[in-house]
Amino acid sequence: MEKKYVDYAIEKVKDLLAIPSPTGYTNNIAQKVCSDFEAMGYNAYITNKGGVFVDLGANKGGEGIILSAHVDTLGAMVSKIKPNGHLGVVPVGGLNPNNIETEFCTVVTKSGRQLSGTFQLTNASVHVNKDYSSSVRTFDNIEIV
């Protein structure tokens, strides 16, 4: 594969990954995917369910290619604001607490404001929490700070 195509693909992936797109907030990324395909001369539109459909052009025999992919990211929903200001969450989709500890995240408020945070164990101080390494990560003991 030519380097220019690899570079193009990498740039497009970076562009898409920079758009916050948790479940329920996929319209911005769907619009970006549509506009990118339209810029390449294809007819693209957003379906009633928020997916992107692109006509890549069937050949005269009626055969064509259908491409389908999720453009949303796994997410969580804030379930409570704790007295210390940290956020408790519940998963949306297949989010797993074992995969999110120390990950940066974006919290989208009801008003649309975006805040940055980090997932961590509720007692994340290794030198104080003797059970840090053996603690099973659950959504009851993972929070956003």
Side-chain angles (χ1 to χ4, degrees):
M1 184 175 292
E2 289 188 46
K3 183 176 178 353
K4 67 179 180 180
Y5 296 120
V6 172
D7 292 344
Y8 176 80
I10 289 170
E11 286 307 310
K12 285 300 173 188
V13 168
K14 285 180 181 179
D15 288 347
L16 293 175
L17 290 175
I19 300 171
S21 58
T23 301
Y25 290 89
T26 57
N27 193 47
N28 288 342
I29 194 166
Q31 287 179 352
K32 170 70 172 151
V33 170
C34 278
S35 68
D36 284 354
F37 274 108
E38 288 169 351
M40 292 185 286
Y42 294 104
N43 181 25
Y45 65 91
I46 299 172
T47 67
N48 290 338
K49 296 219 175 214
V52 176
F53 185 88
V54 182
D55 181 354
L56 298 175
N59 66 22
K60 294 193 184 223
E63 295 178 4
I65 297 174
I66 295 177
L67 209 60
S68 176
H70 285 275
V71 294
D72 62 337
T73 55
L74 296 177
M77 183 173 62
V78 173
S79 58
K80 61 184 157 193
I81 300 174
K82 298 179 178 185
N84 63 2
H86 297 182
L87 304 177
V89 298
V90 294
V92 176
L95 192 65
N96 185 311
N98 294 307
N99 298 337
I100 60 174
E101 188 175 8
T102 72
E103 292 290 335
F104 294 113
C105 65
T106 300
V107 177
V108 180
T109 67
K110 283 183 181 180
S111 66
R113 187 171 168 212
Q114 294 184 12
L115 308 169
S116 297
T118 305
F119 285 100
Q120 72 173 24
L121 193 64
T122 52
N123 186 359
S125 180
V126 170
H127 62 284
V128 174
N129 181 357
K130 303 291 184 216
D131 297 323
Y132 178 85
S133 294
S134 61
S135 295
V136 176
R137 275 49 175 176
T138 68
F139 285 102
D140 291 327
N141 67 7
I142 292 280
E143 62 188 5
I144 298 174
V145 293

